């Protein structure tokens, strides 16, 4: 009964966050795009576009209500809390339906634009400020140095684990309850002992790469208010990088405490449990604050950028969210739909990162189907 | 230094970049001994091919404005740069074309030379 309650609340949480992030992405997007299409801001008051937006929100709400209701009713009637398919299948169905609703809106906006083409051409001029580039680069270096310590700690811990491996008992704890007491045990193997450290290393490297990519990605400045938009952009980048760093640090603490608990056969200290929750929460709050205060959707509240960069061109975008421009050396560019950045898959490094990410996602989806991981 | 580029212009980007850098050196916003952004950084920032930026830097290096240091990247040479005879010829060929255009447009000789002088004075002031 208790488990059913947990699965219900987890599912509801996932469904609601899916719904919110899909439905309100447009509100968080760059000001000069509309459902993945480059469009000047003045058009957004157009009744045709407003209707497209309304229709989109109506349809995604419908999808959310119907799929969530069916899933939750099914789980509670069948008491199917143990079947991972029951969790994954509705998520996949939701993703596909949200996607098709988005594509519909995207196509409608595209049709609208082809009629009103003339007035929605991107700016043709670009302005590069080398001082700004230098400041960005020194921030990037600072954060690269900041990642050295957690990386060293991780590698050091792996060496320490390796050194102590032979003296470990045959049965090791692999899961702890919310009080930090071990409640599941596994047979000792390199896999079970090193699993947390390897996870820690992978996530740390991924977060470091994302941080550095953030500093490398283009930031468009507004030449009319150059100084202000420069300082805003730097605050934006600093905030994002700092919040990712906070999340990385709390992950390191969490995984380290798990590995240490395995090595010493002790409980996980509740202090660590606390940081493992608090760190990411502070990180996410800081990130959202930064996005809302300094992000492209809002920093440019007065005026969106007035310079050109290749990602303004519709021809490089597939469905308004996949960027492919082999001539652009940038690995990450600002998204058109939603917050954050996306990869340039026309670029070699972009392709490599995409494949790694896809493997990551595939792995985490397939793993629970094959292994009954506690 | 501010670099302005126009993607709709007939002039190729590498040429615009070349001109912008020379003007920045003359105006003093890019000082002698100062290093320019790395080729990759600048290309990423503008969103153009690395070769385009490379072409510009090489052109500027060949004409003596920059030198490429292994550690610091592209650095502005000390001013005035040493003039090579081949570029002197090219410079005057440019000037000839410019004067020809001015002449055909009916500009007065005094007016033209006066403007030339003004530019010289400006750059001299800026470089102080």
């Amino acid at each position: 009964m208790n488990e059913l309650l947990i699965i219900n609340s987890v599912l509801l949480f996932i469904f609601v966050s899916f719904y919110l992030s899909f439905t309100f992405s447009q509100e968080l997007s760059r000001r000069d795009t509309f459902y993945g299409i480059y469009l000047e801001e003045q058009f957004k008051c157009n009744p045709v576009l407003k209707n497209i937006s309304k229709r989109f929100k109506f349809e995604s709400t419908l999808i959310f209500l119907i799929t969530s209701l069916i899933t939750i009713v099914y789980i509670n009637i069948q008491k199917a809390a143990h079947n991972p398919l029951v969790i994954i299948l509705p998520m996949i169905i939701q993703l596909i339906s949200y996607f098709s609703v988005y594509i519909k809106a995207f196509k409608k906006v595209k049709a609208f634009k082809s009629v009103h083409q003339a007035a929605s051409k991107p700016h043709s001029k670009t302005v590069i400020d080398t001082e700004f580039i230098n400041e960005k680069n020194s921030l990037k270096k600072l954060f690269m140095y900041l990642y050295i310590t957690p990386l060293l700690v991780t590698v050091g811990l792996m060496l320490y684990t390796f050194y102590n491996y032979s003296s470990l008992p045959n049965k090791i704890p692999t899961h702890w309850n919310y009080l930090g007491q071990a409640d599941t045990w596994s047979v000792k193997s390199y896999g079970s002992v090193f699993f947390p450290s390897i996870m820690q290393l992978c996530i740390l490297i991924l977060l470091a790469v994302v941080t550095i990519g953030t500093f490398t990605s283009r930031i468009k400045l507004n030449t009319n208010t150059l100084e202000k938009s420069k300082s805003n952009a730097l605050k934006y980048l600093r905030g994002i990088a700092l919040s990712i760093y906070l999340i990385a640090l709390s992950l390191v603490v969490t995984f380290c405490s798990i590995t240490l608990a395995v090595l010493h056969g002790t409980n996980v200290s509740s202090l660590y449990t606390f940081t493992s929750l608090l760190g990411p929460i502070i990180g996410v709050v800081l990130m959202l604050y930064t996005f809302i205060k300094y992000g492209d959707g809002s920093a440019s509240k007065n005026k969106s950028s007035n310079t050109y960069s290749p990602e303004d061109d519709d021809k490089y975008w597939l469905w308004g969210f996949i960027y492919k421009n082999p001539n652009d050396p940038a690995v990450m560019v600002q998204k058109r739909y939603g917050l954050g950045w996306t990869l340039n898959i026309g670029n070699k490094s972009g392709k490599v990162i995409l494949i790694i990410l896809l493997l990551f996602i595939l792995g985490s989806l397939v793993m629970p189907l094959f292994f009954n991981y506690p | 230094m501010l670099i302005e580029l126009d993607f709709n212009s007939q002039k190729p980007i590498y040429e615009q970049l070349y001109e912008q850098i020379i003007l920045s050196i003359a105006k003093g916003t890019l000082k002698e001994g100062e290093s320019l952004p790395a080729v990759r950084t600048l290309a990423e920032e503008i969103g153009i091919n690395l070769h385009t930026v490379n072409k510009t830097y090489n052109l500027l290096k060949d004409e003596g404005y920059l030198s490429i240091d292994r550690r610091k990247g592209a650095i502005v040479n000390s001013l005035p740069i040493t003039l090579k005879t081949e570029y002197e010829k090219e410079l005057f060929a440019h000037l000839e074309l410019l004067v020809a255009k001015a002449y055909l447009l009916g500009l007065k000789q005094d007016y033209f030379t006066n403007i030339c002088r003004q530019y010289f004075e400006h750059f001299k002031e800026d470089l102080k």
Side-chain angles (χ1 to χ4, degrees):
Chain A
M1 193 60 215
N2 197 12
E3 229 164 65
L4 214 55
L5 186 73
I6 290 172
I7 202 99
N8 271 327
S9 40
V10 166
L11 267 185
L12 210 61
F13 177 75
I14 293 173
F15 288 167
V16 168
S17 32
F18 264 29
Y19 168 69
L20 289 179
S21 55
F22 270 92
T23 315
F24 296 101
S25 277
Q26 178 51 44
E27 276 67 20
L28 300 168
S29 302
R30 283 174 52 173
R31 305 217 129 207
D32 46 14
T33 60
F34 197 69
Y35 291 97
I37 297 274
Y38 186 90
L39 207 64
E40 280 194 3
E41 246 186 300
Q42 68 209 47
F43 282 104
K44 288 193 184 166
C45 307
N46 191 299
V48 179
L49 292 179
K50 278 193 167 167
N51 255 333
I52 294 174
S53 195
K54 249 187 216 164
R55 183 88 204 152
F56 170 81
K57 288 198 171 110
F58 172 73
E59 283 170 3
S60 69
T61 310
L62 215 62
I63 290 168
F64 164 69
L65 289 177
I66 294 173
T67 49
S68 313
L69 207 70
I70 292 176
T71 313
I72 297 221
V73 166
Y74 178 82
I75 283 178
N76 288 296
I77 289 176
Q78 297 283 319
K79 307 221 183 305
H82 278 295
N83 190 352
L85 255 184
V86 173
I87 303 169
I88 291 168
L89 199 65
M91 273 160 65
I92 292 174
I93 290 174
Q94 278 188 344
L95 279 179
I96 293 171
S97 336
Y98 284 136
F99 179 71
S100 57
V101 169
Y102 163 79
I103 291 292
K104 233 171 97 184
F106 165 79
K107 280 187 176 154
K108 279 187 204 159
V109 180
K110 198 176 177 184
F112 173 88
K113 190 180 172 178
S114 65
V115 178
H116 300 79
Q117 188 108 49
S120 212
K121 270 196 183 139
H123 307 274
S124 71
K125 284 193 176 168
T126 190
V127 173
I128 307 295
D129 188 328
T130 49
E131 263 173 53
F132 176 67
I133 295 181
N134 290 340
E135 281 173 61
K136 231 170 65 164
N137 268 339
S138 49
L139 262 182
K140 179 168 121 185
K141 265 190 201 145
L142 172 76
F143 273 95
M144 273 164 89
Y145 289 134
L146 281 177
Y147 272 96
I148 290 176
T149 324
L151 274 172
L152 282 181
V153 168
T154 309
V155 173
L157 189 72
M158 284 172 98
L159 289 176
Y160 180 69
T161 313
F162 191 73
Y163 183 72
N164 281 306
Y165 183 77
S166 52
S167 60
L168 284 179
N170 249 338
K171 229 177 175 190
I172 54 156
T174 50
H175 192 261
W176 295 262
N177 64 13
Y178 58 94
L179 286 174
Q181 293 157 339
D183 57 7
T184 313
W185 284 265
S186 295
V187 179
K188 172 174 112 174
S189 70
Y190 279 107
S192 60
V193 174
F194 277 100
F195 181 74
S197 309
I198 290 169
M199 279 284 279
Q200 181 184 337
L201 191 66
C202 288
I203 294 174
L204 202 57
I205 290 173
L206 189 75
L207 292 180
V209 167
V210 166
T211 307
I212 287 156
T214 306
F215 284 114
T216 324
S217 80
R218 270 192 290 277
I219 293 262
K220 303 219 285 175
L221 299 173
N222 190 327
T223 46
N224 296 329
T225 52
L226 192 63
E227 290 307 314
K228 183 143 200 321
S229 76
K230 261 159 71 175
S231 81
N232 259 354
L234 288 174
K235 278 177 195 160
Y236 176 65
L237 290 175
R238 201 179 298 136
I240 301 281
L242 198 64
S243 52
I244 297 177
Y245 190 64
L246 271 179
I247 295 173
L249 282 189
S250 60
L251 278 171
V252 167
V253 171
T254 312
F255 280 112
C256 279
S257 68
I258 288 176
T259 305
L260 286 176
V262 169
L263 289 180
H264 299 148
T266 51
N267 291 340
V268 177
S269 153
S270 54
L271 179 74
Y272 292 137
T273 325
F274 186 64
T275 35
S276 73
L277 277 174
L278 199 67
I281 289 174
I282 296 176
V284 167
V285 168
L286 178 65
M287 194 184 282
L288 280 178
Y289 170 78
T290 313
F291 268 127
I292 290 164
K293 183 107 196 274
Y294 303 112
D296 223 31
S298 52
S300 33
K301 241 174 206 151
N302 35 3
K303 220 174 196 184
S304 49
S305 156
N306 59 354
T307 56
Y308 168 84
S309 57
E311 71 260 30
D312 292 344
D313 239 321
D314 283 338
K315 68 177 176 198
Y316 297 124
W317 289 87
L318 185 63
W319 297 320
F321 67 88
I322 298 171
Y323 182 65
K324 188 182 178 187
N325 181 0
N327 272 326
D328 186 351
V331 180
M332 281 176 21
V333 294
Q334 287 227 299
K335 268 190 199 174
R336 284 199 150 183
Y337 186 64
L339 281 179
W341 289 266
T342 188
L343 289 168
N344 176 10
I345 60 162
N347 186 299
K348 222 188 222 165
S349 343
K351 274 178 199 156
V352 171
I353 296 177
L354 179 75
I355 290 169
I356 293 172
L357 282 177
L358 284 181
L359 286 178
F360 245 119
I361 295 170
L362 203 71
S364 53
L365 274 181
V366 169
M367 279 265 274
L369 288 180
F370 288 115
F371 306 103
N372 195 6
Y373 190 74
Chain B
M1 173 179 57
L2 283 181
I3 302 170
E4 272 178 58
L5 304 170
D6 188 346
F7 281 80
N8 274 355
S9 163
Q10 294 288 331
K11 212 178 264 176
I13 293 293
Y14 84 89
E15 220 175 302
Q16 293 185 40
L17 194 57
Y18 163 86
E19 289 173 0
Q20 291 280 317
I21 291 172
I22 290 181
L23 277 173
S24 295
I25 299 174
K27 283 176 182 163
T29 47
L30 191 58
K31 302 237 168 4
E32 45 184 311
E34 201 176 321
S35 51
L36 274 86
V39 173
R40 170 163 274 280
T41 314
L42 194 56
E44 276 175 354
E45 209 66 37
I46 307 171
I48 51 175
N49 209 303
L50 294 173
H51 299 303
T52 312
V53 180
N54 236 332
K55 200 169 168 182
T56 305
Y57 279 19
N58 278 332
L59 212 61
L60 288 165
K61 191 190 94 183
D62 289 345
E63 296 186 11
Y65 297 101
L66 305 177
S67 47
I68 310 288
D69 185 277
R70 220 177 251 180
R71 272 218 220 122
K72 289 180 183 168
I75 306 173
V76 179
N77 278 340
S78 52
L79 301 171
I81 63 161
T82 37
L83 184 67
K84 296 175 190 167
T85 37
E86 57 206 276
Y87 291 118
E88 192 178 353
K89 263 185 208 161
E90 209 184 303
L91 190 73
F92 286 125
H94 273 303
L95 189 62
E96 189 185 6
L97 187 68
L98 209 62
V99 173
K101 279 183 185 171
Y103 178 70
L104 293 179
L105 284 169
L107 290 185
K108 289 275 186 306
Q109 191 183 337
D110 281 350
Y111 180 60
F112 186 83
T113 46
N114 214 0
I115 287 179
C116 281
R117 192 176 303 120
Q118 273 177 25
Y119 276 128
F120 262 103
E121 298 293 321
H122 262 302
F123 292 142
K124 246 196 248 167
E125 278 284 298
D126 290 334
L127 284 179
K128 260 177 193 172

